[in-house]
């Protein structure tokens, strides 16, 4: 069973940047797609970004388009989420996910990480 482990969260001021990482426990893990979701207190988990494992396609939520970038690192089994121009409304627990299709719904992804907290102060 593959495990996904996120890291890189923290506290940052509005306008700042963070880079989240998600490492798969199996180096040869190659799902069809990977994604980042987030969940703020009292809200449902929402889609942030997704990409095909090959990197050929990527989708972003309108709220993060132009500010966030999803990619794979040179380590190949690591997915990154580079976040710029952070806003207080970006505050949430961020989860990485992997699954069999490029989609924006949580049910499309079988594997999930434990989450990493991102807090943006105003």
């Amino acid at each position: 069973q593959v495990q996904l482990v996120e890291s890189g969260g923290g506290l940052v001021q509005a306008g700042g940047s963070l880079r989240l990482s998600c490492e798969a426990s199996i180096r040869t893990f190659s799902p069809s797609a990977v994604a980042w979701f987030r969940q703020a207190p009292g809200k449902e988990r929402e889609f942030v970004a997704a990409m095909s494992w090959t990197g050929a396609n990527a989708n972003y939520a309108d709220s993060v388009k132009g500010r966030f970038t999803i990619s794979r690192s040179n380590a190949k089994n690591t997915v990154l989420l580079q976040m710029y121009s952070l806003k207080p409304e970006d505050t949430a627990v961020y989860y990485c996910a992997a699954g069999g299709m490029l989609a924006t719904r949580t049910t499309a992804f079988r594997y999930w990480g434990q989450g990493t907290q991102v807090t943006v102060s105003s």
Side-chain angles (χ1 to χ4, degrees), residues 7-22:
S7 61
L11 174 64
V12 64
Q13 289 187 334
S17 61
L18 281 175
R19 189 178 75 168
L20 305 183
S21 295
C22 173

Side-chain angles (χ1 to χ4, degrees), residues 35-39 44-47 95 97-99 103-112:
W36 288 92
F37 289 78
R38 66 187 182 187
Q39 188 166 18
E44 293 187 352
R45 192 168 298 189
E46 65 174 5
F47 170 77
Y95 298 89
T104 62
R105 62 185 188 275
T106 58
T107 53
F109 297 91
R110 177 180 179 183
Y111 302 100
W112 290 84

Side-chain angles (χ1 to χ4, degrees), residues 40-86:
K43 295 188 177 181
E44 293 187 352
R45 192 168 298 189
E46 65 174 5
F47 170 77
V48 174
M51 64 178 283
S52 57
W53 191 245
T54 62
N57 296 289
N59 293 333
Y60 295 91
D62 288 341
S63 59
V64 307
K65 203 170 292 183
R67 300 188 298 122
F68 291 10
T69 301
I70 186 172
S71 64
R72 284 173 61 193
S73 77
N74 291 333
K76 301 299 182 185
N77 65 328
T78 300
V79 179
L80 306 174
L81 184 69
Q82 180 67 56
M83 305 184 293
Y84 294 106
S85 301
L86 284 162

Side-chain angles (χ1 to χ4, degrees), residues 37-41 45 90-95 114-118:
F37 289 78
R38 66 187 182 187
Q39 188 166 18
R45 192 168 298 189
D90 294 318
T91 295
V93 177
Y94 283 70
Y95 298 89
Q114 82 289 349
T116 185
Q117 177 71 46
V118 171

